[in-house]
């Protein structure tokens, strides 16, 4: 990572499986005049050892084996000014849907979760009830929930026979070797009356217009007849 | 003699009563027709354009590959053109107003039915077929009614109505809002309601010369009433014709009859033709005079047999296909349609390949849209001034548009591309506004239905083939330059046929006089 004095630079690295990774901080040639630099690699508050050093770069090698090794690693160069760079090691992010999915009572809703680029080991779905997250077991409630893994990176959950109680937030969770990642989806269940009201209003307006035009035509015909 | 006297009085009264009072009313109804056509343009074109937003929603919920879902959109937009000949037949039988109401009903019903859709084939029929046919009905009826009502300022009224297409950009965000609040089913439900608004606006398509139905229906209590109404709706504003029928109905005298016939000579033939057919019904009540006047009518109009057949057997009328004028017009229509659609599809893509951001590219499109609307209005107004024949303007716009397209590959920066877009929009708006007036000029109003129907059919074939052809061109040449060159070539080919127009007219006259 190249850094400018006085600022902090950040980089996100996505890992989905166990691997060895080398993080290095390199000082740009412009600033090589800064002497007496002390470089510290930290993870949180903990200092990491085993630093490989060259003239202008400092790096560490990590073996990421499980979730506990993920997180933010920072390298701090202390000289006259302090320069730091942060590496965020994380599991792949799952995208849910920003906008709520709208569906109707008695209908079926389909919720889709996709993982981009990385293949999860397994998918799981959760429903939020109050503040708790309840796992959705599709074998238990097979006539209500149907979970399908359409492809390696995509999962579908169909909720049948929607009711008002199905309103709320759902989570799709992808399990990777190094951890789990969640995506958020919102479901809105409307009753049939909701769009029906504007529709009936429009139909009423249409009927009124038709009547007006019809009456006007009868009136003008009568006028012409009597003229 | 007493019936004869009464007839003459009544004809005078009719002639007098028609001119001052009802002319203002006629103008009012003409504006009503323009308003209806405007609404049709807004809603129909808006629905076609926002189909893309429904596309995503359908794909997620109902399933199916994107090719299958795009079939729905293709069926919808192509049936709008391909259904036109059938609609022309229906229009001639029932009249424009019932056809338009049927069209509005089909569209509304199709939308409502689609809310219950569970699979792609279902949607193909409910949305594709029903909506497509409904659109065809609405469009044909509105276009022909505009031509019939707005005689003098046809180009301008057509342009005003077409400017409705410019407003369709508002429908897209509105649709998105509805989908976010109500889901696609609720949105379709509300759209069905909005489309039903076309029913009262269709009622504005008042048939011309509405006085006669009162008289005739009062006289004929049996089926004569119904056919009289149909006939009067098919009458094309030939005022003298109505009086002519009045006369014929009551043991006519020869003198007023021939006068009536002569007065109408310059106008529409079919008006006079309707009377013999109608008179056949009247044969039982009135004995001697009607056959005489019928034969006399037959003698003075040689083209009668053809149009008589038209009226008594209103099946698919293929006579336009034998007319060279029709070939001229359709050739031009087809190529100008191709020249119009292809650049629209590829303008944004070309802008992106030149490195212009998508914000700027969409800015291009909106500027082009506004320019096109303004140019349509201007072109319509200019054409109505009748400084020269309308198709001369049409040809000029097409040639200039073709040259602009051929020069497009030279536009490689944003300002140049903007200039191209503006120029293209000006010329496109110009020739688009004149399509209907040019057809009316070439063909006259009474045959407009069948001509417009078949012309739209062929244009529909071009519309189906256009986008895939453009896509294939891109895949083959890996650059969008060829699409613009192709569009330019099409735009230059299309006015060629108009150079044959004078000779075609002469040929037609010769054939009619034989």
């Amino acid at each position: 990572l190249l850094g400018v004095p006085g600022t902090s630079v950040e980089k996100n690295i996505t890992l989905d499986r166990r691997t060895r990774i080398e993080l290095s901080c390199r000082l740009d040639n412009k600033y090589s005049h800064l002497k007496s630099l002390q470089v510290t690699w930290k993870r949180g508050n903990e200092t990491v050892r085993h630093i490989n050093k060259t003239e202008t770069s400092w790096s560490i090698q990590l073996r990421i084996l499980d979730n506990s090794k993920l997180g933010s690693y920072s390298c701090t160069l202390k000289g006259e000014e302090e320069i730091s760079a942060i590496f965020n090691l994380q599991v792949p992010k799952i995208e849910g849907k920003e906008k709520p999915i709208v569906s109707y009572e008695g209908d079926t809703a389909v919720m889709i979760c996709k993982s981009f680029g990385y293949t999860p080991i397994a998918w799981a779905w959760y429903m939020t009830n109050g503040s708790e997250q309840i796992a959705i077991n599709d074998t238990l409630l097979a006539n209500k929930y149907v979970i399908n893994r359409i492809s390696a990176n995509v999962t579908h959950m169909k909720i049948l026979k929607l009711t008002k109680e199905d309103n709320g937030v759902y989570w799709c969770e992808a399990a990777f070797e190094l951890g789990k990642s969640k995506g958020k989806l919102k479901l809105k269940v409307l009753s049939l009356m909701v769009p029906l009201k504007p529709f009936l209003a429009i139909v009423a307006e249409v009927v009124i217009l038709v009547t007006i035009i019809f009456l006007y035509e009868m009136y003008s015909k009568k006028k012409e007849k009597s003229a | 003699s007493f019936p004869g006297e009464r007839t003459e009085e009544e004809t005078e009264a009719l002639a007098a009563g028609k001119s001052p009072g009802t002319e203002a009313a006629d103008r009012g109804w003409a504006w009503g027709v323009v308003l209806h056509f405007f609404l049709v343009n807004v809603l129909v074109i808006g629905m076609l354009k926002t189909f893309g937003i429904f596309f995503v929603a359908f794909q997620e919920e109902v399933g199916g590959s994107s090719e299958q879902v795009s079939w729905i959109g293709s069926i919808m937009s192509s049936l709008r053109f391909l259904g036109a000949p059938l609609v022309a037949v229906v229009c001639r039988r029932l009249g424009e107003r019932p056809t338009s109401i049927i069209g509005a009903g089909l569209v509304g019903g199709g939308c409502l039915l689609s809310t219950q859709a569970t699979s792609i084939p279902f949607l193909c029929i409910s949305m594709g077929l029903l909506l497509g046919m409904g659109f065809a009905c609405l469009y044909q009826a509105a276009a022909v009614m505009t031509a019939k009502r707005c005689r003098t300022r046809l180009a301008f009224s057509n342009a005003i109505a077409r400017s409705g297409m410019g407003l369709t950009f508002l429908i897209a965000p509105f649709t998105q809002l509805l989908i976010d609040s109500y889901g696609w089913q609720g949105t379709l439900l509300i759209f069905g309601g909005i489309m039903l608004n076309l029913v009262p606006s269709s009622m504005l398509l008042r048939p011309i010369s509405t006085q006669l139905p009162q008289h005739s229906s009062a006289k004929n209590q049996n089926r004569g009433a119904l056919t009289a109404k149909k006939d009067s709706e098919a009458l094309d504003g030939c005022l003298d014709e109505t009086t002519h029928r009045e006369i014929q109905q009551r043991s006519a005298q020869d003198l007023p009859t021939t006068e009536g016939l002569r007065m109408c000579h310059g106008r529409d033939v079919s008006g006079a033709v309707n009377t013999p057919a109608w008179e056949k019904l009247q044969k039982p009540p009135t004995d001697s005079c009607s056959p005489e006047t019928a034969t006399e009518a037959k003698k003075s109009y040689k083209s009668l047999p053809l149009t008589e057949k038209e009226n008594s057997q209103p099946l698919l009328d293929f006579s336009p296909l034998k007319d060279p004028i029709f070939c001229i017009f359709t050739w031009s229509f087809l190529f100008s349609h191709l020249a119009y659609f292809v650049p629209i599809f590829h303008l944004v893509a070309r802008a992106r390949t030149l490195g212009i951001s998508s914000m700027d590219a969409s800015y291009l499109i909106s500027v082009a849209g506004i320019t096109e609307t303004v140019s349509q209005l201007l072109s319509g107004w200019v054409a109505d001034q009748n400084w020269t024949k309308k198709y001369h303007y049409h040809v000029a716009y097409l040639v200039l548009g073709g040259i602009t397209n051929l020069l497009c590959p030279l536009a490689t920066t944003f300002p140049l591309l903007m200039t191209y877009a503006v120029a293209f929009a000006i010329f496109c708006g110009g020739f688009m506004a004149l399509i209907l007036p040019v057809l009316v000029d070439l063909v006259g109003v009474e045959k407009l239905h069948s001509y417009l129907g078949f012309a739209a059919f062929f244009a529909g074939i071009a519309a189906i083939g256009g986008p895939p052809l453009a896509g294939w061109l891109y895949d083959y040449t890996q650059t969008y330059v060829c699409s613009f060159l192709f569009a330019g070539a099409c735009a230059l080919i299309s006015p060629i046929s108009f150079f044959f127009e004078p000779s075609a007219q002469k040929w037609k006259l010769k054939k009619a006089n034989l």
Side-chain angles (χ1 to χ4, degrees):
Chain A
L1 260 188
L2 302 171
V4 179
T7 61
S8 176
V9 190
E10 211 169 312
K11 186 166 182 178
N12 290 332
I13 303 177
T14 313
L15 300 166
D16 71 324
R17 56 192 64 207
R18 297 188 187 100
T19 177
R20 256 192 224 176
I21 187 169
E22 182 173 322
L23 306 170
S24 64
C25 277
R26 186 167 70 83
L27 199 57
D28 200 17
N29 290 328
K30 272 196 282 180
Y31 306 101
S32 51
H33 60 280
L34 295 169
K35 305 282 179 187
S36 61
L37 286 171
Q38 225 191 353
V39 177
T40 347
W41 277 94
K42 276 197 194 161
R43 183 177 166 234
N45 283 328
E46 206 185 285
T47 314
V48 175
R49 299 196 203 142
H50 313 291
I51 305 176
N52 300 336
K53 210 164 57 167
T54 69
E55 273 226 5
T56 51
S57 73
W58 297 260
S59 58
I60 51 169
Q61 278 187 358
L62 302 163
R63 273 170 71 201
I64 313 288
L65 294 173
D66 57 45
N67 202 14
S68 58
K69 291 283 191 321
L70 293 172
S72 296
Y73 290 83
S74 63
C75 79
T76 326
L77 284 78
K78 277 203 198 106
E80 290 147 10
E81 297 176 29
E82 197 171 291
I83 313 167
S84 69
I86 306 178
F87 295 87
N88 289 321
L89 299 177
Q90 21 177 249
V91 282
K93 279 216 166 78
I94 304 290
E95 256 182 47
K97 246 194 169 166
E98 292 277 326
K99 295 187 199 156
I101 300 176
V102 178
S103 201
Y104 291 91
E105 283 174 6
D107 209 3
T108 311
V110 176
M111 313 188 94
I112 307 172
C113 254
K114 290 189 197 152
S115 153
F116 294 102
Y118 302 96
T119 310
I121 307 171
W123 288 97
W125 285 89
Y126 294 91
M127 190 177 108
T128 314
N129 200 351
S131 54
E132 274 181 28
Q133 286 193 8
I134 308 170
I136 298 177
N137 193 340
D138 61 331
T139 45
L140 198 60
L141 300 157
N143 56 345
K144 177 81 176 172
Y145 300 100
V146 176
I147 301 183
N148 267 329
R149 191 163 176 175
I150 304 293
S151 69
N153 289 356
V154 181
T155 179
H156 273 204
M157 176 167 76
K158 264 195 220 169
I159 310 181
L160 311 165
K161 298 194 211 102
L162 288 166
T163 62
K164 278 271 173 159
E165 282 97 43
D166 294 317
N167 232 336
V169 176
Y170 288 78
W171 299 91
C172 68
E173 191 184 69
F176 295 97
E177 272 186 11
L178 295 172
K180 296 186 180 175
S181 173
K182 280 198 191 151
K184 184 172 165 181
L185 293 121
K186 263 190 266 185
L187 181 67
K188 220 161 75 164
V189 180
L190 299 171
S191 89
L192 282 165
M193 288 308 294
V194 175
L196 209 58
K197 277 185 248 167
F199 175 69
L200 289 175
I202 298 179
V203 170
E205 171 237 340
V206 166
V207 168
I208 292 176
L209 280 177
V210 168
T211 326
I212 292 179
I213 297 184
F214 193 62
L215 288 175
Y216 179 69
E217 273 212 26
M218 306 245 69
Y219 165 72
S220 60
K221 274 186 198 169
K222 273 196 208 145
K223 222 171 76 170
E224 282 167 16
K225 236 187 189 170
S226 57
Chain B
S1 57
F2 179 70
E5 276 177 37
R6 205 162 52 142
T7 317
E8 273 179 19
E9 275 173 29
E10 266 186 319
T11 53
E12 276 174 19
L14 276 172
K18 245 321 186 168
S19 334
T22 49
E23 205 185 276
D26 273 350
R27 222 178 295 144
W29 289 118
W31 281 112
V33 170
V34 171
L35 175 70
H36 168 73
F37 197 15
F38 180 84
L39 273 180
V40 164
N41 265 315
V42 170
L43 291 176
V44 167
I45 309 287
M47 186 79 188
L48 287 174
K49 282 193 185 167
T50 58
F51 180 71
I53 302 184
F54 282 104
F55 186 99
V56 179
F58 286 155
Q59 222 185 349
E60 278 183 7
E61 277 218 31
V62 185
S65 70
S66 61
E67 197 187 311
Q68 287 177 317
V69 180
S70 58
W71 264 111
I72 305 177
S74 323
I75 294 181
M76 202 158 75
S77 53
S78 57
L79 263 186
R80 176 170 86 104
F81 289 116
L82 296 177
L86 185 64
V87 171
V89 167
V90 172
C91 253
R92 272 213 319 248
R93 272 210 115 146
L94 299 179
E96 283 89 23
R97 180 143 67 158
T99 315
S100 191
I101 295 183
I102 292 176
L106 276 176
V107 172
C111 279
L112 293 178
L113 195 60
S114 305
T115 58
Q116 305 301 315
T118 45
S119 66
I120 296 283
F122 188 106
L123 272 175
C124 269
I125 297 182
S126 74
M127 240 185 131
L129 187 76
L130 289 181
L131 255 71
M133 285 309 290
F135 289 156
C137 289
L138 284 168
Y139 213 84
Q140 176 89 353
V144 174
M145 203 61 189
T146 317
K148 283 186 185 175
R149 276 267 171 197
C150 318
R151 290 305 184 104
T152 49
R153 304 177 68 89
L154 178 59
F156 191 56
S157 346
N158 189 35
I160 294 181
R162 287 188 77 103
S163 62
M165 293 208 274
L167 281 186
T168 54
F169 74 92
L170 286 174
I171 297 201
F174 176 64
T175 315
Q176 192 63 48
L177 184 72
L178 281 181
I179 291 191
D180 288 339
S181 325
Y182 297 116
W184 65 267
Q185 288 145 320
T187 313
L188 275 177
L189 187 67
I190 296 182
F191 265 26
I194 296 180
M195 297 294 175
L196 278 182
N197 266 315
L198 287 170
V199 171
S201 82
S202 310
M203 292 183 69
L204 290 175
L205 294 179
R206 225 176 167 191
I208 310 191
S209 59
T210 49
Q211 288 182 349
L212 194 55
Q214 317 322 314
H215 283 287
S216 1
S217 49
K219 276 128 207 162
N220 308 319
Q221 297 311 316
N222 40 2
R223 35 197 279 259
L226 207 56
T227 31
K229 232 186 184 160
K230 277 193 214 157
D231 288 348
S232 69
E233 285 192 25
L235 276 183
D236 308 321
C238 189
L239 305 176
D240 309 315
E241 230 1 277
T242 63
T243 63
H244 163 65
R245 281 217 277 130
E246 280 293 302
I247 298 166
Q248 284 206 316
Q249 191 206 344
R250 355 213 167 178
S251 63
Q253 302 159 4
D254 291 352
L255 196 55
T257 327
T258 43
E259 263 180 25
L261 284 173
R262 232 180 289 133
M263 280 191 286
C264 285
H265 188 80
R267 298 290 210 116
D268 311 318
V269 180
S270 61
V273 167
N274 284 337
T275 34
W278 187 75
E279 277 181 318
K280 282 178 199 154
L281 291 167
Q282 278 295 89
K283 247 184 180 171
T286 59
D287 339 320
S288 47
C289 298
S290 13
E292 278 176 47
T293 46
T295 45
E296 202 166 343
K298 275 197 193 129
K299 262 189 265 168
S300 39
Y301 289 84
K302 277 144 198 163
S303 48
L304 226 64
L306 180 67
T307 40
E308 232 182 20
K309 226 189 287 176
E310 225 177 76
N311 202 37
S312 51
Q313 296 176 329
L315 293 176
L316 217 52
D317 172 28
F318 284 103
S319 68
L321 295 176
K322 301 175 210 144
D323 193 351
I325 303 269
F326 174 76
C327 298
I328 292 176
F329 178 77
T330 311
W331 170 276
S332 152
F333 193 31
L334 216 141
F335 281 104
S336 59
H337 242 76
L338 277 176
Y340 176 66
F341 278 115
V342 168
I344 299 273
F345 272 126
H346 287 181
L347 187 61
V348 178
R350 171 131 178 92
R352 290 237 202 92
T353 57
L354 290 174
I356 299 173
S357 75
S358 49
M359 268 298 286
D360 287 338
S362 56
Y363 191 51
L364 268 179
I365 299 277
S366 21
V367 165
I370 298 177
T371 321
E372 195 178 318
T373 311
V374 169
S375 144
Q376 271 180 10
L377 291 171
L378 233 93
S379 144
W381 183 83
V382 163
D384 273 332
Q385 302 307 308
N386 265 324
W387 293 325
T388 167
K389 272 193 170 184
K390 292 197 178 107
Y391 74 83
H392 290 310
Y393 292 114
H394 196 73
V395 166
Y397 288 128
L398 279 171
V399 167
L400 288 170
I403 297 179
T404 317
N405 266 322
L406 289 178
L407 290 177
C408 174
L410 296 175
T412 43
T413 63
F414 184 63
L416 281 178
L417 211 54
M418 180 65 93
T419 328
Y420 160 76
V422 167
F424 180 68
I426 293 180
F427 299 130
C428 263
F431 84 71
M432 278 275 149
L434 290 179
I435 290 183
L436 189 64
V438 164
L439 184 60
V440 169
D441 270 355
L442 287 178
V443 168
V445 183
E446 79 280 8
K447 287 198 167 193
L448 193 59
H449 271 301
S450 22
Y451 275 80
L452 193 60
F454 280 107
F457 181 80
F458 287 110
I461 297 182
I464 299 183
L469 182 65
W472 177 83
L473 263 175
Y474 173 67
D475 289 335
Y476 192 66
T477 58
Q478 284 303 310
T479 167
Y480 288 109
V481 168
C482 272
S483 337
F484 291 103
L485 290 175
F486 171 70
C490 281
L492 286 176
I493 294 178
S494 76
I496 292 181
S497 57
F498 277 112
F499 292 124
F500 295 111
E501 193 258 349
S503 36
Q505 292 278 20
K506 275 186 232 151
W507 185 81
K508 228 181 149 183
L509 270 172
K510 244 194 286 173
K511 217 178 101 170
N513 287 338
L514 279 172

